[in-house]
Amino acid sequence: MPSDNLMQRLRDLRLCTQRQIEACEPKVRRLCHDLPDFDSVWLDALVQHRVLTPWQVDVLQSDDPERLRADEFNLQDAIGANTFRGASTINQQQAVLRQMSTDGDAERFQLRLTDLLERIDEVRHTTPVTLELPRRLIFRNDENVYLASHHVAGWSADELLIRGGRIPWKVVAEIGLQLLAAMRWLEGNQLRHGHVV
């Protein structure tokens, strides 16, 4: 079995169940043969079983594994600068969590973000269907504040190019039109857009 320390981390962060760890045991036996089963082997097996992501393993082995957790969300991958994909431990719903910088004044920052979310909620019903806006604030501590929004699954532009080669001009035009419509809506509602993906 994994070390007590690793088991405690996995349990505290709610990253996997006892059953998922037990399911990895045959893989660990094959990988180790007669050698000791180090935690790194267990982590590799959990990645191969798609219980953990390689990014989660890197963070688990860092000095601050607690940053894998933001309220009820387990962060699963870094998908941009200070932007993470996470899953709720309550209903497994995927979310995008954008870590915000408080610039030292957490109370004033919280008021500004609360005001921003209230402004967004007032105009949310007019939002273009192609635009996903933040829905809530998550506070991990005074220095770690996240804006959470629904995760829209799909391929990035890089993945589309790799999978399909050149993208037809009509598709490029549609992507451009949707992007322009979203930016026009944001600017029309005096909402700054510093991170559009």
Side-chain angles (χ1 to χ4, degrees):
M1 292 300 288
S3 70
D4 292 341
N5 186 32
L6 178 59
M7 286 296 292
Q8 186 70 39
R9 281 183 178 180
L10 294 171
R11 200 174 10 259
D12 290 350
L13 295 170
R14 290 191 243 164
L15 291 173
C16 63
T17 65
Q18 184 68 33
R19 178 177 277 164
Q20 289 170 317
I21 290 172
E22 290 168 1
C24 292
E25 193 171 348
K27 173 77 88 184
V28 171
R29 266 200 222 117
R30 279 194 305 277
L31 289 171
C32 289
H33 297 293
D34 296 329
L35 299 172
D37 58 339
F38 296 110
D39 283 347
S40 59
V41 178
W42 281 98
L43 291 171
D44 286 345
L46 288 166
V47 169
Q48 290 176 21
H49 278 252
R50 297 183 190 273
V51 175
L52 299 176
T53 66
W55 181 82
Q56 286 175 314
V57 169
D58 287 344
V59 176
L60 263 174
Q61 294 176 320
S62 74
D63 293 336
D64 186 17
E66 294 296 318
R67 66 188 170 123
L68 284 173
R69 191 93 170 142
D71 196 31
E72 91 235 29
F73 291 97
N74 278 331
L75 304 184
Q76 296 177 320
D77 273 310
I79 57 175
N82 300 318
T83 307
F84 307 92
R85 180 175 53 87
S88 169
T89 57
I90 298 168
N91 57 16
Q92 293 304 306
Q93 189 171 26
Q94 297 281 306
V96 172
L97 294 104
R98 171 89 170 143
Q99 187 174 16
M100 308 300 288
S101 173
T102 61
D103 296 330
D105 189 350
E107 188 175 318
R108 191 173 66 109
F109 185 74
Q110 180 179 353
L111 289 172
R112 284 182 32 220
L113 281 181
T114 302
D115 179 54
L116 172 66
L117 284 179
E118 287 171 2
R119 284 184 36 227
I120 288 172
D121 285 340
E122 289 172 7
V123 295
R124 193 179 296 276
H125 65 282
T126 66
T127 308
V129 294
T130 58
L131 185 61
E132 180 60 43
L133 295 170
R135 297 191 176 275
R136 66 182 264 214
L137 284 172
I138 295 174
F139 296 92
R140 193 177 137 221
N141 54 39
D142 285 346
E143 292 87 39
N144 291 295
V145 179
Y146 297 89
L147 273 175
S149 56
H150 177 71
H151 178 262
V152 179
W155 292 323
S156 69
D158 290 344
E159 291 168 329
L160 283 175
L161 286 170
I162 290 168
R163 289 173 181 270
R166 186 187 307 192
I167 299 173
W169 73 266
K170 288 183 180 180
V171 175
V172 174
E174 180 61 29
I175 291 169
L177 286 171
Q178 289 180 15
L179 181 60
L180 287 172
M183 291 175 71
R184 187 173 132 230
W185 183 89
L186 288 166
E187 289 177 0
N189 287 285
Q190 288 88 38
L191 296 169
R192 292 186 182 180
H193 47 84
H195 192 72
V196 176
V197 293

